Amino acid sequence: MNRPARFTLHPDFTVGAVNPRLFGSFVEHLGRCVYTGIHEPGHPTADAAGLRTDVLELVRELGPTALRYPGGNFVSGYRWEDSVGPVDERPRRLDLAWKTTESNRFGLAEFIDFVRKAGPEAEPMMAVNLGTRGVTEAIQLQEYANHPSGTELSDLRAAHGDKDPYGIKLWCLGNEVDGPWQTGHKTAEEYGRIAAETARAMRQIDPDLELVASGSSNSGMDTFGAWEATVLTETYDLVDYVSLHSYYWERDGDRDSFLASAVDMEAFIEKVVATCDHVGAKLKSEKRINLSFDEWNVWYMEKPNPHPVEDWQEAPRLLEDVYSVTDAVVFGSLLIALLRHADRVTVACLAQLVNVIAPIMTEPGGPAWRQTTFFPFAQASTYGRGTVLDVRVDSPTHPTAKYGEVDLLHATAVRHDDGTVAVFAVNRSQTRALPLEVLLSGLGLTELVEHSVLADADPEARNTLTDQERVVPHAGEGAVLVDGTLKATLEPLSWNLIRLA
Ligand code: AHR
């Protein structure tokens, strides 16, 4: 019999409250995320605005909160003026980021309409272009979007049909400006200055905005660490968050390391927290900068695109990864990593929402369906609200090439306001079922409500157009709650939700 993995839960030992924005997502003008993803006039399910209601239904089931827009790399060439006003008068433009043609048929007003229909907690998270543009265009966009009336740009919004301001609270100051691939790429000093000046001007209009400074594109960047320190030294009093981006994929068939990707994600978070607090200490500031992990996912970025695409096409099939059960288990583990750091990660965006490395896929003129990664996100967004309990696991380990000895169990637990608890757990072993024992101390829990499992005899199983429900969660077997101890068995390579009342 395998040694069980164990941990103890107690209501007095907590990480912090979960900010609902931890369950954000991302809509970029990239491939088919917007066009034929969320927006497809003429589709049998399209509403009067051209939004696919089949997709909206799945989005509401998924439960994303903050929706980041319009990029991504796209934002570094974004001309917001092109995306407002009568659709027929909007210009077609080259999008340098993805070498496509942007029709601007979907723009700011359409996005706000989408957000309003995307669920009660959905809110816009707007990025400004600090690649090819700067302070002036950022405050013009802010005036157009948020100022009530009585100025040229706020009155223009009203003339375009939206009398009420959009009330966008959360703004990103550019995107991945440290990356040489970024249009308008800058050094940390250059970016720190323009971010500070833009933040200052935006706050002159509205001191209550929440602003995100662009951190490193990933923790492997040569400038990682130094970038954050320089940018935050310039912007510390002017911003609320620094961003983190990270994508994971299986390399060279090393599945055990891939399954341990959250080890890297947690270390990344902790290094950025340390850098923020170091800058705060240097500046003798009482203020705390939080983390906006506004791009995270599994993404096979090195795989050739299986779809033929020519330069400057409109809405081609780009980044349409089809996720396996294995990918969904890693994805769930990344969600656990975010929850385990909920005290400092107060915004996070799953990149992206539809078709582009996404939990929801669509076919033009055809159906919309859930990828394997849909399920961990929907379950975490539904049951991951409340206070994260401090989970310190005592787990069997196994060796990985990339991260050394790694716990087989990766877990967190969230206590809801009504006293019920959700345990989220991943078994990283590809071959061994993992017995789990959780001592429930002082929580008054007596009922096992549900053990839901995402696992499959075929770790490569996926949902596709022709087999849309090949992978769905199933009920776990044998879990019990006796005398204040939860006992369960976690299937090999599995994502688990265990609900207790
Ligand atoms: O999410 C896809 C791309 O990944 C984004 O446009 C960019 O910010 C990142 O490199």
Side-chain angles (χ1 to χ4, degrees), residues 367-427:
W369 66 97
R370 303 166 189 82
Q371 292 238 50
T372 55
T373 53
F374 184 99
F375 303 105
F377 191 98
Q379 291 183 332
S381 180
T382 306
Y383 298 112
R385 307 305 183 89
T387 302
V388 179
L389 300 175
D390 193 5
V391 169
R392 307 199 174 193
V393 304
D394 167 23
S395 168
T397 61
H398 71 166
T400 64
K402 215 164 163 191
Y403 307 111
E405 279 296 311
V406 167
D407 287 341
L408 292 182
L409 175 70
H410 191 216
T412 188
V414 179
R415 186 173 193 227
H416 313 130
D417 293 346
D418 64 3
T420 59
V421 166
V423 172
F424 301 101
V426 155
N427 176 6

Side-chain angles (χ1 to χ4, degrees), residues 26 28 30 72-73 98 175-176 247 295 299 351-352 357:
F26 180 25
E28 177 166 4
L30 194 185
N73 295 341
W98 300 104
N175 175 72
E176 295 190 353
Y247 295 99
E295 287 188 33
W299 173 11
Q352 300 193 1
I357 46 173

Side-chain angles (χ1 to χ4, degrees), residues 98-101 305 307-314 316 318:
W98 300 104
K99 277 194 175 292
T100 54
T101 297
N305 188 351
H307 306 285
V309 169
E310 281 170 21
D311 285 354
W312 315 120
Q313 241 177 275
E314 226 179 295
L318 298 176

